Amino acid sequence: MPKITPSGSFDSLEKWLKRVVKGDKTVAEQFAKELVDTLKKNTPVKSGKTASSWGYNISSSRGGWQIEIFNSNINNGVNVAVILHYGHGTGTGGYVPGTNYITKAIDEVYRSKIDSVLKSMLK
């Protein structure tokens, strides 16, 4: 049976990631904008209000930049984006299933970023 032994380390990748996280705020801005744009594109549309209500805030933290993604479409105290994602009961006893669009959007952006990071590191 063949034996596989690892060699090397991930030190350079780790240093690069730390530099990006603590780096210029424009990196965080670009990431947040791309995530919000993808959420807008993937949000189920009836009136368009929920899709257009995505936004973000960026603040500095001890470890780098902190990104907060939010949706400001609130109806009777309920965040509409959340019930579209997870599903919800109706006033007449029915149930509307969710669409899992938030997870899909986040995965799409993270995969895109990971691909671009790996491509730039392998050049």
Side-chain angles (χ1 to χ4, degrees):
M1 175 178 248
K3 182 177 180 184
I4 299 173
T5 57
S7 65
S9 73
F10 292 100
D11 291 344
S12 60
L13 174 61
E14 193 173 314
K15 286 177 188 174
W16 185 86
L17 288 171
K18 284 180 181 176
R19 196 171 65 242
V20 168
V21 169
K22 291 183 179 180
D24 191 340
K25 184 178 179 181
T26 57
V27 173
E29 290 270 357
Q30 180 184 17
F31 182 75
K33 183 178 179 339
E34 186 174 341
L35 186 52
V36 165
D37 289 346
T38 304
L39 283 163
K40 287 179 180 182
K41 179 180 78 176
N42 285 298
T43 301
V45 178
K46 186 173 181 180
S47 70
K49 184 175 180 181
T50 303
S52 66
S53 296
W54 287 105
Y56 65 88
N57 290 318
I58 297 177
S59 58
S60 70
S61 67
R62 187 177 177 121
W65 297 102
Q66 183 172 357
I67 300 171
E68 173 194 15
I69 304 294
F70 61 87
N71 190 290
S72 59
N73 185 14
I74 309 297
N75 186 2
N76 294 325
V78 176
N79 188 303
V80 177
V82 172
I83 65 171
L84 287 173
H85 180 78
Y86 291 110
H88 59 92
T90 66
T92 59
Y95 180 75
V96 177
T99 60
N100 197 29
Y101 71 98
I102 295 173
T103 304
K104 178 182 172 189
I106 292 170
D107 286 350
E108 183 179 320
V109 173
Y110 274 105
R111 284 190 182 121
S112 167
K113 290 299 176 194
I114 290 169
D115 285 348
S116 67
V117 166
L118 291 175
K119 284 177 185 174
S120 71
M121 291 190 69
L122 296 174
K123 284 184 179 179

